[in-house]
Amino acid sequence: MESIDLFSSLWAYLQSYDFIALLLKLIFILIIGPGLVPIMVWLERRGSAMIQGRMGPNRVGPLGLLQALADVLKFFAKEPFVPGTANKFYYNLAPIIAAVAPLAAFAAIPFGGTVLFDGYETNLQLSNLNIGILAALAFAGLEVYPIMLAGWASNNKYAVLGALRGASQMISYEIAMGLALIAMFLIYGTVDMNQMVAWQGESLFGILPRWGLFVNPLAAMIFLIGIFAETNRMPFDLPEGDAELVAGYHVEYGSTKFAMFFFAEYVAMSMAAALFVTLFLGGYGLLPGMEALAQYLAQVFQLEALGLHNLKTFLGVGSFLMKLCFMLFFYIWVRWTVPRFRFDQLMNLGWRILLPIGLVNLVFTAIAIYFIGSSL
Amino acid sequence: METLLKNDLVTPLQDYYNPNVLLNLGPSHPAMHGTLRVMCRVNGETIEDASCEIGYLHRAIEKLAENKTYHQWIVYTDRLNYCSALANNVGYVMAVEDVMGITITERCMYIRMICLELARVIDHIICVAINALDLGAMTVFWMLYTWREQAYTIIEGMCGMRLTTSYARIGGMAYDLPENFQAEMKIFLEGLPKTLDDVEKLLSANRIWVDRTKDVGILTAEECLGFGLTGPVARASGVDQDLRRDRPYYNYSDLDWDVVVATKGDVYDRYLVRMEEMRQSLKILKQLCAKLPGGSIWTEDSRVLIPKKKDVYEKMEVLIHHFKIFMEGIDVPPGESYRAIEAPNGELGYYVVSRGGPKAWRIKIKSPSLALFQSYEHSIKGAKIPDAIAILGSLNIIAGELDR
């Protein structure tokens, strides 16, 4: 009897508004998470070509847009080679963790405000966890495991060197990143990302939006450097170091498994960029001028309060995506401009420069908040 | 046999039983320009001991010289430093002409000097671009390669080839300059300095680039002399030596240019020296193009001059001479000569020994890369793996010239 109850309650849940909303949000996340990857790859190739005075891929599809698809097909068609001396279990596990961890982090990031529909209010966030941003960071921190596992399990000297680099890089930059984050927590007074976005929705001195970037630029800088290091992007792509370590931790990977690392790298980038946008660029808060646009559109289309709210939410998602795309472009821009660090220089930057700056910034922020309060 | 293999052939490193990891850089490694091999004993990322191995690209070019006629061997000089084949061609024919006592025409000399300087520019482009690429600055690589492409377009117009040029001939050149040469050269001479400025903006004051290259791979002037280094690497260490000025050939002394010398001898200085040498070479090229005289590109010396087709058809002696040149090769009198040019990488010398006849008795090449590679082992001991890559890029060791 009980099983039938369970079944019917499950069936009821499946038909409920909550479930359908969750499903739609899940689909949206799966579009902006992995779906951004081919666009990012395309942007990276065409963008780098633009920077370097080349054409870039322009054969597959219009403007070469389908090149990423062709690449994926190529990867799947390759022989899934496993080196004989590799530790098979960890060798296969590494790309799976790599692909899953950043996607999981996406779940905690809000990409819009609330949608009011049929008396229901839905948060545009997959799961509104009460630990908020810490969950996203915890999942982001998992990204070091695939690097270490892959490097170790491949049984290759270059891969091990890459893994060691990746591990120590991650440790040294997460501390500075964490300090920058704590300073921001003090300012926002919360770890809930929706509340952070709401806090940033106000305006600063009447001219600037009250974004974290303008309130605490130092923390933003440290966090920005941190996410570059965390996602192994140029100039911190030392675990890969294609000139010195051949391909670093994934030197022994090919076909689909390599594609998963590749995919994971870009998802991690989007995820880190989304974190940065939420923390420092006002998240899904409307871009300057969008408020007026919303009012104007509401007038044109004769929208009620409810319609205006949903319209603003829609524009908020648009703002979030625009900010995200800017950050992704910023990644590409930096990558094709600067050379690579040497390993000890990178550690110096992390421990001797960013860590003290982060500490000073934290103490200063705490003092400032004690005196002027977090209201600004 | 067992011990011999273990100690002498497999690892010439001193401490075979050292527990630290033995890491092979090369012969198949993206940064090991061709087929260089360095065995490193690494402790973490620090290279404690290193041993270089050569010979992976050995093709017995010098031995082939004994079985090929003088003209047939020109194609092998292309394959020495394939980044600057034009300079190799010119250096070789200079030595053979010296044995024969041939003086070349004014126009031929100017064309050869253009070849030498063009080769220097493209070689330095490759060196700086690849060095930047190895350190992760890929944009610099593509920016410079655009102009290497233009240079290759010019070279293609000159001799029909891009990489393996075989342009020089004993006593002249294979072809005269094409009609559009001056126009193409003008684009090159005006465009490249702008790109060089851009590259300097991107690199010279870039903190990451400076950190990566300054105080890395320092060679003092004494060490340079000890290793027998020449060219930009030696000049970057303060050895004020340039064969174009010190042992003048052709008429470099009539032109307005400077020898570029730095002081410190690290990777950064080598980069700066190469950048400035490119500008100086462009200056020389500009003067050469302005002064380029007319006239024949072939000497009047009948031993090497290919007779006119009309004479071949009409005169018996000329027909026989023509036949002998093409079937046997030119007859070089007994004698020997060593001529060295300031090739892009340093002193490139050809020692030609003739005992008469159409084939050399022995040709020995003094290649700058060999000396550079023997200093590499010394440079990377105590350095880190990324440093080793940076140093290798700055030395510009070309395997084709190293192994011959």
Side-chain angles (χ1 to χ4, degrees), chain A residues 51-52 228 233-237 242 330-341, chain B residues 131-141 143 201-203 205-210 212:
Chain A
I51 291 170
Q52 298 165 345
F228 269 91
R233 275 297 278 197
M234 204 76 163
F236 301 100
D237 67 337
D242 57 322
F330 186 74
Y331 272 120
I332 294 168
W333 191 9
V334 169
R335 172 169 179 185
W336 301 106
T337 309
V338 293
R340 184 184 299 121
F341 274 100
Chain B
N131 202 353
L133 178 69
D134 283 350
L135 299 191
M138 202 187 195
T139 300
V140 170
F141 171 81
M143 282 164 73
K201 273 182 217 154
L202 270 174
L203 294 182
N206 183 329
R207 180 66 193 272
I208 302 177
W209 175 261
V210 172
R212 282 299 305 272

Side-chain angles (χ1 to χ4, degrees), chain B residues 48-82:
Chain B
E48 291 190 330
D49 196 5
S51 171
C52 297
E53 192 164 308
I54 63 169
Y56 285 94
L57 203 61
H58 188 66
R59 293 144 298 166
I61 283 185
E62 287 173 4
K63 184 71 187 166
L64 279 163
E66 297 162 24
N67 298 301
K68 303 277 175 192
T69 67
Y70 286 97
H71 265 140
Q72 279 172 338
W73 198 69
I74 291 175
V75 295
Y76 291 97
T77 63
D78 294 336
R79 277 100 180 145
L80 290 172
N81 181 348
Y82 32 76

Side-chain angles (χ1 to χ4, degrees), chain A residues 106-304:
Chain A
F106 247 119
I109 297 170
F111 49 86
T114 53
V115 176
L116 294 172
F117 179 73
D118 200 21
Y120 292 96
E121 187 176 15
T122 312
N123 252 334
L124 288 185
Q125 182 182 19
L126 206 53
S127 58
N128 194 3
L129 302 166
N130 53 3
I131 50 170
I133 196 157
L134 295 179
L137 279 178
F139 282 119
L142 279 181
E143 282 165 45
V144 70
Y145 287 99
I147 294 181
M148 287 170 69
L149 285 178
W152 180 252
S154 299
N155 195 15
N156 179 310
K157 290 168 189 170
Y158 288 111
V160 170
L161 281 172
L164 293 176
R165 282 179 175 193
S168 39
Q169 181 175 324
M170 192 68 88
I171 291 167
S172 37
Y173 279 84
E174 286 218 316
I175 291 173
M177 256 173 91
L179 289 173
L181 264 183
I182 294 170
M184 295 320 285
F185 291 163
L186 287 179
I187 292 173
Y188 298 142
T190 176
V191 291
D192 184 330
M193 285 192 264
N194 284 310
Q195 286 174 33
M196 286 182 189
V197 173
W199 194 92
Q200 294 180 82
E202 314 284 319
S203 85
L204 190 65
F205 311 129
I207 26 169
L208 288 172
R210 199 166 71 171
W211 289 354
L213 177 70
F214 301 120
V215 177
N216 195 346
L218 208 55
M221 191 198 74
I222 295 170
F223 196 80
L224 186 64
I225 297 174
I227 59 174
F228 269 91
E230 180 122 343
T231 50
N232 301 324
R233 275 297 278 197
M234 204 76 163
F236 301 100
D237 67 337
L238 294 171
E240 269 181 64
D242 57 322
E244 52 230 33
L245 295 187
V246 192
Y249 65 94
H250 59 58
V251 65
E252 294 286 3
Y253 282 84
S255 77
T256 323
K257 292 192 199 84
F258 172 76
M260 280 169 88
F261 273 120
F262 193 71
F263 166 83
E265 192 190 318
Y266 281 93
V267 177
M269 274 163 61
S270 320
M271 192 275 297
L275 266 184
F276 187 82
V277 167
T278 309
L279 272 169
F280 294 100
L281 297 181
Y284 54 80
L286 295 181
L287 283 169
M290 273 200 175
E291 183 72 39
L293 180 74
Q295 297 292 351
Y296 172 74
L297 285 177
Q299 248 177 11
V300 170
F301 295 105
Q302 311 275 316
L303 292 178
E304 310 280 313

Side-chain angles (χ1 to χ4, degrees), chain B residues 100-397:
Chain B
M100 298 181 80
I102 294 171
T103 28
I104 54 168
T105 64
E106 187 90 342
R107 183 173 174 81
C108 179
M109 183 172 78
Y110 270 80
I111 295 175
R112 284 188 186 177
M113 284 168 73
I114 287 172
C115 290
L116 287 170
E117 294 311 311
L118 200 55
R120 192 180 323 282
V121 174
I122 55 175
D123 200 274
H124 285 357
I125 282 179
I126 290 174
C127 177
V128 171
I130 302 273
N131 202 353
L133 178 69
D134 283 350
L135 299 191
M138 202 187 195
T139 300
V140 170
F141 171 81
W142 287 116
M143 282 164 73
L144 285 170
Y145 258 50
T146 313
W147 291 104
R148 180 173 166 270
E149 194 60 29
Q150 172 66 17
Y152 273 136
T153 309
I154 297 172
I155 294 169
E156 195 178 7
M158 283 155 79
C159 55
M161 302 282 198
R162 292 163 64 83
L163 193 70
T164 51
T165 52
S166 301
Y167 189 29
R169 294 286 184 273
I170 296 157
M173 302 303 281
Y175 311 97
D176 205 339
L177 294 177
E179 279 167 14
N180 65 350
F181 175 77
Q182 295 278 14
E184 290 282 342
M185 202 65 177
K186 199 161 172 260
I187 299 172
F188 184 69
L189 292 177
E190 282 169 5
L192 180 57
K194 285 179 197 147
T195 304
L196 290 182
D197 288 343
D198 286 346
V199 169
E200 294 215 313
K201 273 182 217 154
L202 270 174
L203 294 182
S204 295
N206 183 329
R207 180 66 193 272
I208 302 177
W209 175 261
V210 172
D211 278 355
R212 282 299 305 272
T213 54
K214 264 213 170 129
D215 298 326
V216 170
I218 295 178
L219 283 172
T220 62
E222 288 75 35
E223 281 168 340
C224 279
L225 293 175
F227 282 118
L229 303 190
T230 47
V233 176
R235 286 195 285 277
S237 301
V239 181
D240 186 8
Q241 172 227 43
D242 190 319
L243 295 184
R244 289 176 291 175
R245 181 197 62 197
D246 303 337
R247 236 184 288 163
Y249 49 93
Y250 297 153
N251 62 352
Y252 276 108
S253 43
D254 296 350
L255 302 171
D256 172 32
W257 59 282
D258 295 310
V259 176
V260 187
V261 181
T263 49
K264 199 153 182 195
D266 53 7
V267 175
Y268 187 69
D269 274 9
R270 285 174 207 151
Y271 150 76
L272 288 182
V273 164
R274 285 210 167 84
M275 291 298 278
E276 188 53 35
E277 274 191 15
M278 273 192 257
R279 290 177 204 278
Q280 294 295 332
S281 285
L282 292 176
K283 205 168 146 190
I284 298 175
L285 278 173
K286 206 172 268 175
Q287 297 171 49
L288 289 171
C289 286
K291 289 184 183 173
L292 190 65
S296 169
I297 53 166
W298 274 93
T299 172
E300 287 304 309
D301 195 314
S302 62
R303 287 175 298 171
V304 289
L305 182 65
I306 300 163
K308 290 200 177 61
K309 211 68 180 170
K310 186 169 180 295
D311 294 340
V312 175
Y313 287 137
E314 289 173 0
K315 294 173 186 153
M316 186 66 186
E317 295 79 8
V318 178
L319 175 65
I320 294 170
H321 185 56
H322 185 273
F323 182 81
K324 296 264 275 185
I325 283 184
F326 279 93
M327 299 311 289
E328 275 179 10
I330 53 173
D331 187 24
V332 176
E336 58 181 62
S337 166
Y338 175 78
R339 286 305 292 267
I341 57 163
E342 183 67 33
N345 270 345
E347 178 181 342
L348 174 69
Y350 290 90
Y351 181 49
V352 179
V353 182
S354 164
R355 292 197 170 171
K359 289 172 187 168
W361 185 72
R362 176 85 166 91
I363 292 180
K364 173 82 181 82
I365 304 159
K366 186 234 173 280
S367 76
S369 287
L370 185 69
L372 289 171
F373 200 46
Q374 77 179 345
S375 79
Y376 184 57
E377 205 172 285
H378 166 81
S379 293
I380 62 170
K381 271 180 199 165
K384 300 211 160 38
I385 295 173
D387 285 341
I389 307 301
I391 297 167
L392 187 75
S394 74
L395 291 177
N396 195 20
I397 298 159

